[in-house]
Each structure stands twice: as C-alpha cells, then as structure tokens.
Amino acid sequence: MTTARRVPQFPASTPAADLYDVIQRRRDVRSEFTGGEIPDDVLDRVLTAAHSAPSVGLSQPWDFVLVRDESTRRSFREHVLAERSVFAAQLRGERAQTFSKIKVEGIVESSMGVVVTYDPDRGAPEVLGRHAIADAGLYSVCLAIQNLWLTATAEGLGVGWVSFYREEFLRRLLDIPTGVRPVAWLCVGPVRALADTPDLERHGWRRRLPLEKVVHYEKYRHGLAR
Amino acid sequence: MTTARRVPQFPASTPAADLYDVIQRRRDVRSEFTGGEIPDDVLDRVLTAAHSAPSVGLSQPWDFVLVRDESTRRSFREHVLAERSVFAAQLRGERAQTFSKIKVEGIVESSMGVVVTYDPDRGAPEVLGRHAIADAGLYSVCLAIQNLWLTATAEGLGVGWVSFYREEFLRRLLDIPTGVRPVAWLCVGPVRALADTPDLERHGWRRRLPLEKVVHYEKYRHGLAR
C-alpha cells in the first residue's frame, strides 16, 4: 500500500473557527435567513467537511442534492405546510397555542436546500461494521450532517433541518431512486444573526435538560427525567 | 417568556481548537489508545458538547453510559470478537485476507466506553418534527455523537465507534430498559497519535470517493459511483 495522503485537505485559505464557540453558537434556523448568495469557496469547504465525516466501513453512503430552483422549493414548502397542519391537528390547549407561534421552515427564504440522502448499496454487500446493525449506514449520514452544520455556522451561514415531510414525497420531487433514502432537507444560507436561545426554548415549547440527567455510570439507571 | 440564556455554557478555561483542523485530524481509533486517565474537566467539556447538539423538537433523546468497569468491558469485547468472526465468515479471497489484518475495536485498551442510547419516549408523544419521520430522534443522537467525537479529538482523545455487536446483548449487559435503543459503543481515551490516513484506507479495505461523486444539482442524478 502506498502511504500517500488520500484524505481530503482543506485549502490553506480556510478560515480559523473555534470548535467550542461554534458548537455553542450553532442554531436550528428558520427566520433569520437573508437569502443572499453562498460563495462557492464557502460551499465547497462546508461540503468537504461533510464528506470528511466518519462512516461505517468507509462506505461514505451520503449524497448531497443542492436545490436552488424556486419552483422545487415552493412545491416542497407547500407539502411541509400541509404536514405542519397534520401535526398541529394532534395538539390541544396550551400545546396547540404554543405551536401556532413557531415557524418550522425557511425553505424559500434560505439560499438553497441541501438534501442529504443515504444509499445503503454503497460499498455493499460487505460493509465492514454493518452486518449486525443495519442502521449503522444511516448513522454515518447524520455524522456528515453535523460536520456540515458546524462548518456552516463557522462560515456565517445558518442551517435549518426541516423534518415535516414524507420521505416518499421528497423522493419523487427530486427523482431520488428507490432504495436511496432522504434523511434531511437542510435550509442553508447567510443569516442576519443566530439567536442566543433555541427557538423552541424561547417560545416555551420545551426546556433543555441539565447534562447530569443524561449521564449514567457503568449501567443505565432507570427513572430519569423525560 | 424570560430571555435569560438557558443554553449550556463552556467554562472560560475551555481551550481553543480549530474546527477545520479537527475535522481533518479526526480518526476512528482502534490501536493508538494509551489507557491513560481522562481528566474530569475534559470529560465534562466533551459531554457538554454532545449534549449541546441539535435535536428534533428539542427532545434531547440521548443518554451516555460511561463504562470503566473492566469485567463489563471484557464481556463486551468477547461478544464483539464473536461478531467479528460472523462477519469474517462471509468474506472470500482478497476481502477475507484484507479484513484479517484490520483491528475493529479498542474496548479494553481505551480509557472508557461511552455508550450512547436513544430514548424515543423523551418528550413524547408530541415531539415537534417527528410525526412524519419516526427516525428523526435517532438522527439527533448521531449529531450528539459527532459533537462528542470532534471535541474529543480537539482534546487529544481518540474515539473508536464499535458496531460489531447485537443491540440486545448490549441492552442486557448495561441494564438498558426495553424501548431505549443502544446506538453506539464509543471507545474513548488519550491516544499516542492519530493516524494520517484512516485505517481502512491504509489497509486497502476501501478508498474514499471524491466529493464530486456525491454532489448533485437540483435533482438526484443516477448512475453514480458505488
């Protein structure tokens, strides 16, 4: 085997960004998109970061569909708003009232949709590390999404993960083959600012758990906060 | 609503770490663990970072079980080696030969196992953003894992995701309740060094795809490299 470096490199002009600061500032964005252009070099760094994520058996089972077309985005938005109503119809009282104030998508206001998909056939049938856990490939795709999200935040972009949709609708909309699974529609683009507090917390939907509620020692303890 | 910041803060003593550098240096570690202690403040920052990940409906459906106990780790390792043999038995010729050289776990050599689980009941039944995509909660758990992985890398720790196991075995081993799903056993600990090239690439298991093979415009294109 050659020992040449095959790992993708970021160009020397890549800006510095503090990891912890980015983790703390990152938000799920719906309202703050400017609609401005994403410079090509920025988009390239963000996608390179996503593509540098770990993956089961080095299968890299992700794909990224960049959707700028306005009519595609409007069709998707219409579907998402219908699904929002489906969810809203399940709620009663205070929950319904609180939800009514929460915006769940910035599909048209953002600069583009980045649709991330999972292809279970990539590297198959001998995907190292997947024989016992079929979902391991799906997990890899999510790791790529988090790399994308963090670097986008570092670059002054906002990211909003929209999940009010039926996978089959999105598959047909983007001509995604059967067997390839859409995992996320990410609204991506420059933002005016990132909120200090997550939207859902600010609107009183849910409060964060303290860390100590989710850390266990040696064995899983029962009876934790839900 | 109060506008007080509820978001967890990292302490002022948190070291700086360049995000892009960390993404590039991060590796899936099996062989380089020293077995040394993880300082408490480091562990706290890494878990705080994981717990700062985005989650569907702010459900934060993850838990972290920190496993230091040696007999638990030895039991898990025995199970993993048996599952390794199950996978190896499926391989023929060059694949079998190549796989035989690849180490798939550092369960006992690392400093601890961090077992990450998914609790679908947290925030249920009204998890905002999950009615149409049941797996959205599982996706959130993976975002937390990537935050953990990156910050661990920044702190000089290695992380190795072990997936050669049956979920039911791990559930029984750690007394994880039915309905809570183990997502990952992460081997975590100080490392001598991180490899320049991923193990699987170095051993000739699989080469990375170039980024342009996984980027599509407007629609998913067919016939991409597998």
Side-chain angles (χ1 to χ4, degrees):
Chain A
M1 280 300 297
T2 168
T3 56
R5 289 178 73 108
R6 295 189 190 286
V7 178
Q9 303 286 314
F10 294 105
S13 59
T14 300
D18 180 59
L19 171 64
Y20 283 103
D21 172 64
V22 168
I23 285 174
Q24 201 158 277
R25 288 194 298 107
R26 182 212 52 76
R27 285 291 164 273
D28 198 340
V29 175
R30 279 82 174 81
S31 302
E32 293 85 3
F33 291 110
T34 68
E37 277 291 297
I38 303 173
D40 285 347
D41 60 330
V42 171
L43 183 61
D44 190 57
R45 286 196 291 269
V46 167
L47 293 173
T48 300
H51 192 52
S52 305
S55 59
V56 63
L58 207 62
S59 56
Q60 302 182 292
W62 45 67
D63 283 271
F64 306 95
V65 187
L66 313 184
V67 182
R68 287 188 172 96
D69 182 74
E70 194 165 321
S71 80
T72 304
R73 291 202 274 164
R74 289 200 180 278
S75 297
F76 185 62
R77 181 166 187 269
E78 200 172 310
H79 171 73
V80 165
L81 292 183
E83 285 297 332
R84 182 201 162 102
S85 300
V86 169
F87 180 69
Q90 298 169 5
L91 305 175
R92 295 285 170 272
E94 176 276 328
R95 292 282 83 183
Q97 177 68 19
T98 301
F99 182 63
S100 70
K101 294 176 290 185
I102 297 174
K103 185 167 159 70
V104 301
E105 54 77 34
I107 297 163
V108 174
E109 304 95 312
S110 63
S111 308
M112 67 167 69
V114 178
V115 176
V116 190
T117 61
Y118 167 51
D119 183 352
D121 286 341
R122 193 160 304 146
E126 293 152 340
V127 178
L128 191 163
R130 209 183 64 182
H131 81 280
I133 300 174
D135 281 341
L138 204 50
Y139 300 164
S140 305
V141 173
C142 299
L143 305 182
I145 290 172
Q146 187 64 356
N147 271 10
L148 183 156
W149 206 331
L150 293 174
T151 49
T153 303
E155 299 280 358
L157 305 177
V159 174
W161 183 327
V162 180
S163 60
F164 282 81
Y165 67 85
R166 302 288 162 175
E167 292 176 10
E168 194 48 38
F169 179 91
L170 189 50
R171 183 180 284 117
R172 274 185 279 120
L173 184 67
L174 300 187
D175 197 18
I176 296 169
T178 313
V180 174
R181 185 170 174 191
V183 174
W185 178 299
L186 307 174
C187 303
V188 181
V191 284
R192 283 184 294 279
L194 292 171
D196 275 352
T197 309
D199 274 15
L200 297 190
E201 205 160 12
R202 195 156 38 87
H203 287 298
W205 179 259
R206 196 170 158 83
R207 286 191 182 190
R208 292 200 173 206
L209 292 171
L211 176 62
E212 54 270 26
K213 293 279 191 191
V214 300
V215 176
H216 312 237
Y217 297 91
E218 303 302 346
K219 305 268 180 180
Y220 194 104
R221 288 176 293 112
H222 294 258
L224 288 179
R226 292 285 163 92
Chain B
M1 280 301 296
T2 169
T3 56
R5 290 178 72 109
R6 294 188 192 285
V7 178
Q9 302 286 314
F10 293 104
S13 59
T14 301
D18 181 59
L19 171 64
Y20 284 102
D21 173 63
V22 168
I23 285 175
Q24 201 157 278
R25 287 193 300 106
R26 182 211 52 76
R27 285 291 164 274
D28 199 339
V29 175
R30 278 83 174 81
S31 302
E32 294 84 1
F33 291 110
T34 67
E37 275 291 297
I38 303 173
D40 286 346
D41 60 329
V42 171
L43 184 60
D44 191 58
R45 286 196 292 268
V46 167
L47 292 173
T48 300
H51 192 52
S52 304
S55 59
V56 64
L58 206 62
S59 56
Q60 301 182 292
W62 44 69
D63 283 271
F64 306 95
V65 187
L66 312 184
V67 182
R68 288 187 172 96
D69 183 73
E70 193 165 322
S71 81
T72 305
R73 292 202 273 163
R74 291 202 179 278
S75 298
F76 185 62
R77 181 166 187 269
E78 201 170 310
H79 170 72
V80 165
L81 293 183
E83 285 297 331
R84 183 201 161 101
S85 301
V86 169
F87 180 69
Q90 299 169 5
L91 305 176
R92 296 285 171 270
E94 176 277 328
R95 292 282 82 183
Q97 177 67 18
T98 302
F99 182 63
S100 70
K101 295 176 291 186
I102 297 173
K103 185 169 160 67
V104 303
E105 55 77 35
I107 297 162
V108 175
E109 303 95 311
S110 62
S111 308
M112 67 167 71
V114 178
V115 177
V116 190
T117 60
Y118 167 51
D119 183 352
D121 286 342
R122 194 161 302 148
E126 294 152 340
V127 178
L128 191 162
R130 209 184 65 182
H131 82 281
I133 300 173
D135 280 342
L138 204 51
Y139 300 164
S140 304
V141 173
C142 299
L143 304 183
I145 290 172
Q146 186 63 357
N147 270 11
L148 183 156
W149 207 330
L150 293 175
T151 49
T153 304
E155 299 280 359
L157 305 177
V159 173
W161 183 326
V162 180
S163 61
F164 282 80
Y165 66 87
R166 302 288 161 175
E167 292 176 10
E168 194 48 38
F169 179 91
L170 189 50
R171 182 180 283 117
R172 272 184 282 119
L173 185 67
L174 299 187
D175 198 18
I176 297 169
T178 313
V180 174
R181 185 170 174 192
V183 174
W185 178 298
L186 306 174
C187 303
V188 181
V191 285
R192 282 185 293 280
L194 292 172
D196 275 353
T197 309
D199 275 14
L200 297 190
E201 205 161 11
R202 195 154 40 84
H203 288 297
W205 179 259
R206 197 170 157 82
R207 288 189 181 191
R208 292 201 172 205
L209 292 171
L211 176 62
E212 55 270 27
K213 293 280 191 191
V214 300
V215 175
H216 312 236
Y217 297 90
E218 303 301 346
K219 305 269 180 181
Y220 194 105
R221 287 176 292 111
H222 296 258
L224 289 179
R226 291 285 162 95

